[in-house]
Amino acid sequence: MKVSALKSDYKVELMEIGSAMYKKGLPSSFVAAAVETAFEFEGVYDLMKMWSEETDKKERDEVIADIQDLIDDCAQKEKVEGTYIRFDDLESIAKNIRQFKDNLRLEVDNKGGLGNLAKITGIPQPSLSRFFNSASMPRRNMLVKIARALNLSQVQIATEWSK
C-alpha cells in the first residue's frame, strides 16, 4: 500500500520523524530521500516509524541502514550512468568483492574516513559501515556516490572489482 494514499496525519508524522532524524545528526539529503520514499512506499514508512520508537543506538543504526537500502532499491528505476558489468562476469566479481571493498575502504580512510565520506555523499555512516563490512554485491548507485566523493572514475571502480 502506498503511504501517499493515506491520510494527511501520516504524512505529517513522517515529516516529524524526518525532523527528529535530522536533529539526531543524519544528513539532510538522507532524511529528505527517506521522507520522499516513505510517501510512496509503506516499507520505508514502517522503518521510519520503527526508528522513532527505538531507543537502542545500535538498533537505530541498523534501521537507518535498512532505510538506505530501500531508498537505493527504489532509486534503481532511474538510469545510472557509468560502466555496466556483464552478467557472465558476476562470478569472478563475487570472488573479489571482499578484496575490492577492503581496498576501497583504505582509499576512504586515506581521505578522511567513513565520517567524512558520510558528509560528502549524504549516505548515513551506518549504511556505509554495513556496505564495507558485508561481502554482498555493491549497488551501482552506492558505488557512483563513493566514486564521486573520492574523485575516482566509475570505470576505475567497476574495473577493480571485475578483474
Side-chain angles (χ1 to χ4, degrees), residues 97-105 131-132 134-136 138:
I97 287 174
R98 185 70 264 147
Q99 181 181 359
F100 164 75
K101 286 185 176 182
D102 290 344
N103 290 340
L104 187 57
R105 178 62 190 264
F131 170 82
F132 283 107
S134 76
S136 63

Side-chain angles (χ1 to χ4, degrees), residues 84-143:
Y84 289 88
I85 305 303
R86 292 186 346 217
F87 183 75
D88 52 349
D89 288 336
L90 290 178
E91 186 175 332
S92 64
I93 291 168
K95 292 177 184 175
N96 295 320
I97 287 174
R98 185 70 264 147
Q99 181 181 359
F100 164 75
K101 286 185 176 182
D102 290 344
N103 290 340
L104 187 57
R105 178 62 190 264
L106 289 173
E107 186 73 25
V108 168
D109 290 344
N110 288 336
K111 294 191 176 181
L114 283 182
N116 188 47
L117 184 62
K119 287 178 188 172
I120 295 170
T121 61
I123 300 169
Q125 192 164 342
S127 298
L128 290 170
S129 293
R130 178 185 279 183
F131 170 82
F132 283 107
N133 291 327
S134 76
S136 63
M137 181 72 79
R139 285 192 169 87
R140 186 173 308 283
N141 58 346
M142 176 83 83
L143 287 176

Side-chain angles (χ1 to χ4, degrees), residues 3 11-12 18 27 36 44 95:
V3 174
K11 292 180 181 182
V12 171
E36 287 173 21
V44 179
K95 292 177 184 175

Side-chain angles (χ1 to χ4, degrees), residues 23-75:
K23 288 176 183 173
K24 285 290 185 180
L26 291 168
S28 59
S29 58
F30 167 78
V31 173
V35 170
E36 287 173 21
T37 308
F39 280 155
E40 294 295 319
F41 298 99
E42 187 176 11
V44 179
Y45 167 79
D46 292 340
L47 286 170
M48 289 180 70
K49 186 112 168 102
M50 185 185 303
W51 179 90
S52 72
E53 296 168 353
E54 184 59 59
T55 57
D56 182 67
K57 183 187 179 338
K58 188 174 181 178
E59 289 298 318
R60 268 190 160 186
D61 286 351
E62 284 296 316
V63 172
I64 292 299
D66 290 341
I67 291 171
Q68 182 67 54
D69 287 346
L70 283 176
I71 291 169
D72 292 343
D73 288 345
C74 295

